[in-house]
Amino acid sequence: MSTSVGIQRQNRASPTPPPPPPPEGGVLLSIVVPCYNEAENIPLFYAKSCEVLKVLEGQGVSVEFVFIDDGSKDETAKVIQELSEKDERIRYAIFSRNFGKEAAMLAGLQAAKGDFTAMLDADLQHPPSLLPAMLEAVKNGEYDCAGTIRTRTGDSKIRTFFSRAFYRLISKLSNMEIIDGAGDFRLMSRQYVDAILSLSERNRFSKGIFQWIGFRTKWFYYENQQRASGDSKWSFWKLFIYSLDGIIAFSSKLLAIASAIGIILFILSICAVIFIVVRKLIFGDPIQGWASTICVILFCAGVQLLTTGVLGEYLAKTYNEVKRRPHFVIRKQK
Ligand code: UDP
Ligand code: MG
């Protein structure tokens, strides 16, 4: 049996020991934290979260932390393990390599045992101070998820422009309203988390998944925070690829657009044939039109390559899905 299959089975079959049971009548809140090269930020994040969570614990809420080390190249794994030795509320999974934030979030949600689960970045860009209000909104059952929307303060104008354009485009293409600035910082009910876990696709695009599963979400707004330390792992190019993956994961309209272009060009080509035949019959066959011929050939070749590319993208995604590889491989966990 291959390692990855074995581990995937473990992932599904509740690999981690159960967290401390909540006190009588209390609830368990899981804090899921995907980490990639966050060795410096984790202690800060942990200290800040503990400070906020102390208040909740005073009100009978038990807390567990689930740190996922997404194959970091720095001391992240070590820092997490050391913390977990000091604090028994901390569990973790360490990936065998970097599988990306989507995989890390999925691993965290699979491991979380809480009645409620919150997901936060390790770099303190997601303020833990919002957690009590978010829990309050979901705990009384009025909402299934407390989502957050960050302002774009401090973002460059060009990045804001492209982000807005992307959200407009994907909302149109997928027929779902994917909200600009709504991120992965959420506090979710058990039912909401189970719904997310029931979507087993490999090409995961959380912003779409949250929207697709539905439920009632209460929105909280917060000011854009700078990273506590280190740099964002998202370059402009990575974000572009991520956006394209998101569109392909949640819409097959690009294929329809490719077909529509094909049909329009076909109709145009019939018109051109009629025009050329009629001109030949009326004026004979003077040799001319080299430039226009080359333009038409280049244009059609370009469109063909583009549509083949679109087809290829969907085919590649389908190929990835049918291989049914696990989303991640865990090297060590507690
Ligand atoms: N992250 C991860 N795997 C990756 C990239 C990022 O687990 O491959 C984590 C990272 O450690 C952080 C969160 O995802 O906790 C958000 O990453 P980052 O701050 O780089 O993104 P941004 O805040 O710029 O969107
Ligand atoms: Mg960040």
Side-chain angles (χ1 to χ4, degrees):
M1 191 208 300
S2 79
T3 332
S4 53
V5 172
I7 283 164
Q8 180 68 0
R9 196 166 294 153
Q10 273 181 31
N11 289 339
R12 286 193 187 131
S14 105
T16 39
E24 205 58 36
V27 293
L28 177 66
L29 172 64
S30 303
I31 308 285
V32 168
V33 195
C35 309
Y36 180 55
N37 294 344
E38 304 282 9
E40 285 176 36
N41 289 329
I42 289 169
L44 301 173
F45 168 84
Y46 173 69
K48 179 87 190 136
S49 311
C50 285
E51 199 183 300
V52 174
L53 294 169
K54 208 177 266 171
V55 181
L56 289 177
E57 284 175 315
Q59 298 162 2
V61 177
S62 302
V63 171
E64 67 160 359
F65 287 91
V66 181
F67 285 98
I68 307 295
D69 170 32
D70 185 10
S72 300
K73 294 184 176 64
D74 67 357
E75 302 280 276
T76 300
K78 199 170 146 221
V79 172
I80 294 173
Q81 289 177 83
E82 279 171 6
L83 274 182
S84 86
E85 274 157 28
K86 286 189 213 131
D87 184 345
E88 61 175 20
R89 299 173 302 171
I90 298 183
R91 294 190 293 127
Y92 60 79
I94 297 169
F95 283 2
S96 61
R97 66 166 171 86
N98 179 245
F99 282 90
K101 187 184 177 189
E102 290 287 347
M105 292 195 295
L106 178 68
L109 291 182
Q110 282 180 357
K113 297 281 192 301
D115 304 296
F116 301 97
T117 300
M119 206 154 49
L120 286 86
D121 285 357
D123 55 13
L124 285 174
Q125 282 190 299
H126 295 164
S129 54
L130 276 179
L131 287 173
M134 290 166 79
L135 181 63
E136 197 54 44
V138 180
K139 208 170 146 190
N140 61 23
E142 198 183 335
Y143 294 95
D144 307 281
C145 173
T148 58
I149 299 179
R150 71 174 176 94
T151 61
R152 292 206 168 272
T153 328
D155 277 5
S156 73
K157 280 213 170 88
I158 185 131
R159 189 166 167 162
T160 307
F161 170 79
F162 279 111
S163 299
R164 296 225 163 107
F166 163 69
Y167 283 109
R168 268 203 302 275
L169 183 69
I170 193 165
S171 297
K172 273 226 166 75
L173 289 178
S174 65
N175 288 336
M176 291 188 302
E177 201 206 343
I178 298 186
I179 298 161
D180 181 14
D184 308 318
F185 177 22
R186 279 160 196 261
L187 192 147
M188 302 158 273
S189 67
R190 183 75 254 163
Q191 202 184 8
Y192 193 93
V193 172
D194 288 343
I196 293 174
L197 294 179
S198 70
L199 270 67
S200 61
E201 63 221 62
R202 261 96 271 262
N203 183 30
R204 293 187 83 79
F205 178 64
S206 282
K207 290 181 198 319
I209 291 177
F210 292 137
Q211 204 59 27
W212 189 89
I213 60 169
F215 291 106
R216 294 153 301 178
T217 299
K218 176 162 183 166
W219 294 105
F220 291 80
Y221 293 81
Y222 67 95
E223 273 291 305
N224 198 13
Q225 316 276 327
Q226 292 308 311
R227 274 188 144 258
S229 86
D231 292 322
S232 166
K233 278 95 200 167
W234 294 95
S235 61
F236 192 81
W237 180 244
K238 266 192 171 173
L239 275 175
F240 177 74
I241 300 288
Y242 178 70
S243 313
L244 206 63
D245 281 349
I247 291 174
I248 289 169
F250 272 85
S251 167
S252 51
K253 281 204 185 134
L254 290 187
L255 287 174
I257 293 171
S259 310
I261 294 175
I263 291 169
I264 292 169
L265 280 182
F266 177 67
I267 294 169
L268 284 180
S269 69
I270 295 211
C271 297
V273 167
I274 294 170
F275 171 74
I276 289 163
V277 169
V278 169
R279 195 178 61 170
K280 154 95 176 144
L281 292 176
I282 297 173
F283 299 108
D285 190 17
I287 297 170
Q288 57 173 320
W290 184 85
S292 56
T293 311
I294 289 295
C295 288
V296 169
I297 289 175
L298 287 181
F299 177 70
C300 288
V303 170
Q304 276 174 12
L305 277 180
L306 183 84
T307 47
T308 316
V310 171
L311 268 175
E313 282 294 323
Y314 282 94
L315 186 64
K317 295 283 183 274
T318 313
Y319 177 55
N320 261 338
E321 295 290 336
V322 296
K323 277 195 282 188
R324 301 208 59 75
R325 287 191 183 161
H327 296 87
F328 50 81
V329 177
I330 294 176
R331 176 164 70 79
K332 196 170 176 201
Q333 64 188 356
K334 180 186 157 195

